Amino acid sequence: AQSVTQLGSHVSVSEGALVLLRCNYSSSVPPYLFWYVQYPNQGLQLLLKYTSAATLVKGINGFEAEFKKSETSFHLTKPSAHMSDAAEYFCAVNAKAAGNKLTFGGGTRVLVKP
Amino acid sequence: EPEVTQTPSHQVTQMGQEVILRCVPISNHLYFYWYRQILGQKVEFLVSFYNNEISEKSEIFDDQFSVERPDGSNFTLKIRSTKLEDSAMYFCASSVGGPLQNEQFFGPGTRLTVL
């Protein structure tokens, strides 16, 4: 079975501050990991994905995530938050043994303060 | 830029009624999916569809649910007899290839409210 846990359902950061969103996964086989972002009234948009190549993955909008097998983590970071980063962020896992689906974490809503 | 579209954006229905949620996947994509998100809960996988048949479904996807690709462009989710607990945001997604590496592109969702 595969599962994803996102620590913190809400995160508040100041504009210009570091954004750190935590994601831990559980998978019996090497996973593929994804971060999606959802802006208000929009669908889920892929930020970045890990597919067993480089462990540090760079995505769109200045986000990056590092796969750490020893910690079963895939935390998302951005060095400097912008107001436009206010959204909900979802971590997701897809493991081959789990079949044809994404399993999502509970999501983290990011509020950016001016 | 190509995108997945969904109609309607909001659907209100009475318990026991049938609803059909519609999706137009990206035109060259071959794999199609439905997910749902009950308010305050996780996004959950419902079903995946490839080559005109269901390739996988979750335990949520019981006999009340069905999917169809009636023509070359639409992908529909039908709920035969809606229950209060079917109230959720329903997302359609598509991908070029198999889901393990290929990005799933999501539509904006249909908010279903069952009264």
Side-chain angles (χ1 to χ4, degrees):
Chain A
Q2 58 185 23
S3 66
V4 177
T5 302
Q6 291 183 240
L7 286 177
S9 58
H10 291 79
V11 167
S12 181
V13 298
S14 297
E15 194 174 17
L18 171 73
V19 179
L20 169 61
L21 305 182
R22 299 180 187 275
C23 172
N24 288 88
Y25 69 91
S26 171
S27 174
S28 57
V29 296
Y32 295 108
L33 294 158
F34 306 81
W35 275 100
Y36 281 85
V37 61
Q38 185 180 28
Y39 299 103
N41 301 315
Q42 296 186 28
L44 299 166
Q45 179 184 3
L46 184 70
L47 275 178
L48 48 81
K49 62 182 180 182
Y50 167 76
T51 57
S52 74
T55 56
L56 183 62
V57 181
K58 294 188 184 299
I60 63 171
N61 302 337
F63 284 93
E64 63 181 36
E66 186 172 10
F67 172 69
K68 291 187 177 180
K69 184 179 178 181
S70 61
E71 298 177 10
T72 61
S73 69
F74 190 56
H75 301 331
L76 180 72
T77 60
K78 181 173 179 177
S80 176
H82 294 163
M83 297 299 292
S84 60
D85 294 326
E88 188 153 20
Y89 293 79
F90 294 92
C91 182
V93 63
N94 193 339
K96 186 174 183 179
N100 204 15
K101 64 189 179 191
L102 289 171
T103 297
F104 285 86
T108 300
R109 188 170 296 279
V110 172
L111 172 66
V112 182
K113 299 177 291 184
Chain B
E1 185 175 331
E3 58 182 15
V4 177
T5 59
Q6 291 185 243
T7 55
S9 56
H10 293 88
Q11 174 90 49
V12 180
T13 190
Q14 296 291 324
M15 190 170 55
Q17 294 296 303
E18 175 184 285
V19 294
I20 297 176
L21 309 183
R22 302 180 191 280
C23 168
V24 178
I26 295 173
S27 62
N28 65 331
H29 285 189
L30 302 176
Y31 292 77
F32 313 111
Y33 315 84
W34 283 101
Y35 292 81
R36 79 172 185 188
Q37 185 180 29
I38 295 172
L39 189 63
Q41 298 186 24
K42 295 183 177 185
V43 176
E44 301 172 290
F45 169 80
L46 290 178
V47 65
S48 57
F49 191 86
Y50 169 70
N51 200 26
N52 283 320
E53 62 182 25
I54 290 173
S55 49
E56 187 173 357
K57 61 182 180 180
S58 73
E59 58 190 23
I60 302 168
F61 195 88
D62 61 21
D63 292 344
Q64 295 297 316
F65 291 87
S66 62
V67 289
E68 192 178 31
R69 189 155 162 81
D71 52 43
S73 60
N74 289 283
F75 179 52
T76 62
L77 174 69
K78 182 191 291 186
I79 308 175
R80 186 178 312 129
S81 177
T82 50
K83 306 181 185 71
L84 294 176
E85 54 265 36
D86 293 328
S87 295
M89 181 73 90
Y90 288 80
F91 294 105
C92 173
S94 67
S95 63
V96 171
L100 287 180
Q101 296 194 53
N102 280 285
E103 174 185 354
Q104 293 185 27
F105 290 79
F106 284 78
T110 293
R111 182 168 298 283
L112 175 65
T113 301
V114 182
L115 302 176

